[in-house]
Structures are given as C-alpha cells and as structure tokens.
C-alpha cells in the first residue's frame, strides 16, 4: 500500500561490543586499534540496520511512523487473501513489537484515534494488519497524502543480545574483514583489484535509485 515510513527514534548502540570485536580480530591484549574497531562496530551495525541496511529489518528497538493517504480493503491485497473482509492498514515492517498510536488528519491537525477503535493482528512473520474494531466507525479525514499517521515500535529488543546470533556473527565477520583490509583496493600494478565488501558494498544501500 502507498505510504512513507519515517524513523522517529532509536538507539545508536552497535550490535557488537568493542570487547567482542577485539576478541574476534585477536586484538584483546592491546588498545592501539580501539578507535578503529569502535568505528567499525558502528559501520557494521549500519550495514544491517533497517534504515540503510541489506536485510530490511530494524535491529535494536526503534520508533517509526507510517504515513499513508487511506486504509485499504483486504480484498485489494494479495497478502490478505483468505482473511475475513476488512478495511485497514498493512504494516510491512518486522519485527513488530507493537502499534502504539494511530492518528488521522482532520481540519489540518492530527487527532488520535482511540485505541478502542482498532486492533492489530499479526498475519505473517513479516506483516501485521491493523483494522477497525468490530462496530467501530471510521472517522472522516482530510484528503491528504499523509491523512493517516501510524506509530509503531520495531526491532528485536532493547539490547544487542536480543538480535539474532546470525546477524551479530555476520557483523563480526565484516568487522574482521575491514580490520584486515583497510584500503579500497589491494595488490599492485596490473594485479590491483577492489577489496570485497569495500567502497561499493558500503555505499550501495545509500545510492539514489535514479543513479
């Protein structure tokens, strides 16, 4: 469904600690590279986190806002086939901890739609459907691209240990690679070649779609 996701807040904590990074690259017994390794833990986290990451999922707990012009009918979505007819909002971000607030635009200002008027149901591992509660009337809203504003809490949890081990270990592998390969290219002369997981891999998630 059409709409825009905006990040409101979230921790900047890396999913791999400096001590874990040092142990992984066999640098636990000296501190010369602590600054570099601290930076790499942040870069590796950003490589995976939802905003610009390669797996499309938020990691640590974050608050996001979804703006959309109107609800949809369950009959209009392939993801809702087989479900009872209903009108609502498809939340296609996961892991979803909770939908915390729904607001609608009325007279140019947002008004909170009382929680008693809607329910959120998980329909798959990656999606939830927010619909009107039984007998709850839909309010009259302004005609606007952001007529509805839905606030949701996303992420695996508040601390790095809640993030799946596979993701955290992948981050360690990246940290180890960047620690051992500190330049964009390796080799000399005719043998010069780009370092895997180097510049292109880092900037790819940020590249404008029209470039």
């Amino acid at each position: 469904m059409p709409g825009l996701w905006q990040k409101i807040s979230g921790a900047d904590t890396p999913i791999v600690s400096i001590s874990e990074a040092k142990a992984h690259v066999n640098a636990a017994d000296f501190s010369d590279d602590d600054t570099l390794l601290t930076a790499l833990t942040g870069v590796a986290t950003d490589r995976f986190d939802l905003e610009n990451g390669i797996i499309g999922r938020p990691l640590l707990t974050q608050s996001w806002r979804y703006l959309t012009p109107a609800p949809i009918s369950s009959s209009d979505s392939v993801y809702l086939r087989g479900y009872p007819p209903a009108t609502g909002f498809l939340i296609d971000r996961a892991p979803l901890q909770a939908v915390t607030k729904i607001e609608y635009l009325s007279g140019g200002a947002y008004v909170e739609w009382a929680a008693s008027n809607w329910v959120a149901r998980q329909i798959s591992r990656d999606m939830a459907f927010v619909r009107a509660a039984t007998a709850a009337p839909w309010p009259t809203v302004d005609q606007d691209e952001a007529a509805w504003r839905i606030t949701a809490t996303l992420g695996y949890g508040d601390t790095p240990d809640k993030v799946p081990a596979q993701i955290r270990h992948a981050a360690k592998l990246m940290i180890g690679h960047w620690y051992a390969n500190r330049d964009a290219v390796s080799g000399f002369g005719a043998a010069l070649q780009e370092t895997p997981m180097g510049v292109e891999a880092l900037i790819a998630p940020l590249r404008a779609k029209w470039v």
Side-chain angles (χ1 to χ4, degrees), residues 105-153:
L105 201 59
S106 178
Y110 281 105
V111 178
E112 184 171 356
W113 201 29
S116 59
N117 288 323
W118 54 269
V119 294
R121 294 285 186 262
Q122 199 78 28
I123 60 171
S124 73
R125 185 186 68 170
D126 293 335
M127 292 188 182
F129 188 58
V130 181
R131 59 170 174 77
T134 302
W138 284 90
T140 301
V141 304
D142 295 352
Q143 293 287 322
D144 192 274
E145 296 84 351
W148 289 89
R149 190 165 71 178
I150 302 170
T151 304
T153 302

Side-chain angles (χ1 to χ4, degrees), residues 19-186:
S19 60
E20 290 174 317
K22 292 180 69 170
H24 182 73
V25 302
N26 296 316
D29 56 348
F30 60 92
S31 59
D32 303 50
D33 293 334
D34 281 12
T35 299
L36 170 62
L37 286 167
T38 297
L40 292 181
T41 61
V43 175
T45 297
D46 288 343
R47 189 78 175 99
F48 290 101
D49 207 12
L50 173 61
E51 204 160 14
N52 300 307
I54 59 177
I55 61 173
R57 296 180 185 280
L59 301 179
L60 298 181
T61 299
Q62 301 169 9
S63 181
W64 283 75
R65 183 176 288 149
Y66 180 60
L67 304 173
T68 187
I72 63 168
S73 168
S74 59
S75 62
D76 293 333
S77 172
V78 64
Y79 301 108
L80 295 167
R81 286 178 182 169
Y83 285 88
T87 299
F89 305 96
L90 195 63
I91 306 299
D92 60 349
R93 291 293 185 272
L96 173 69
Q97 295 183 23
V99 174
T100 57
K101 183 189 295 186
I102 297 180
E103 300 166 285
Y104 60 91
L105 201 59
S106 178
Y110 281 105
V111 178
E112 184 171 356
W113 201 29
S116 59
N117 288 323
W118 54 269
V119 294
R121 294 285 186 262
Q122 199 78 28
I123 60 171
S124 73
R125 185 186 68 170
D126 293 335
M127 292 188 182
F129 188 58
V130 181
R131 59 170 174 77
T134 302
W138 284 90
T140 301
V141 304
D142 295 352
Q143 293 287 322
D144 192 274
E145 296 84 351
W148 289 89
R149 190 165 71 178
I150 302 170
T151 304
T153 302
L154 305 174
Y156 288 102
D158 295 336
T159 54
D161 61 287
K162 302 298 184 183
V163 177
Q166 302 96 310
I167 298 176
R168 297 184 69 243
H169 188 65
K172 291 179 185 178
L173 295 181
M174 283 192 165
I175 291 167
H177 174 77
W178 291 325
Y179 182 74
N181 301 276
R182 305 191 188 189
D183 295 302
V185 294
S186 60

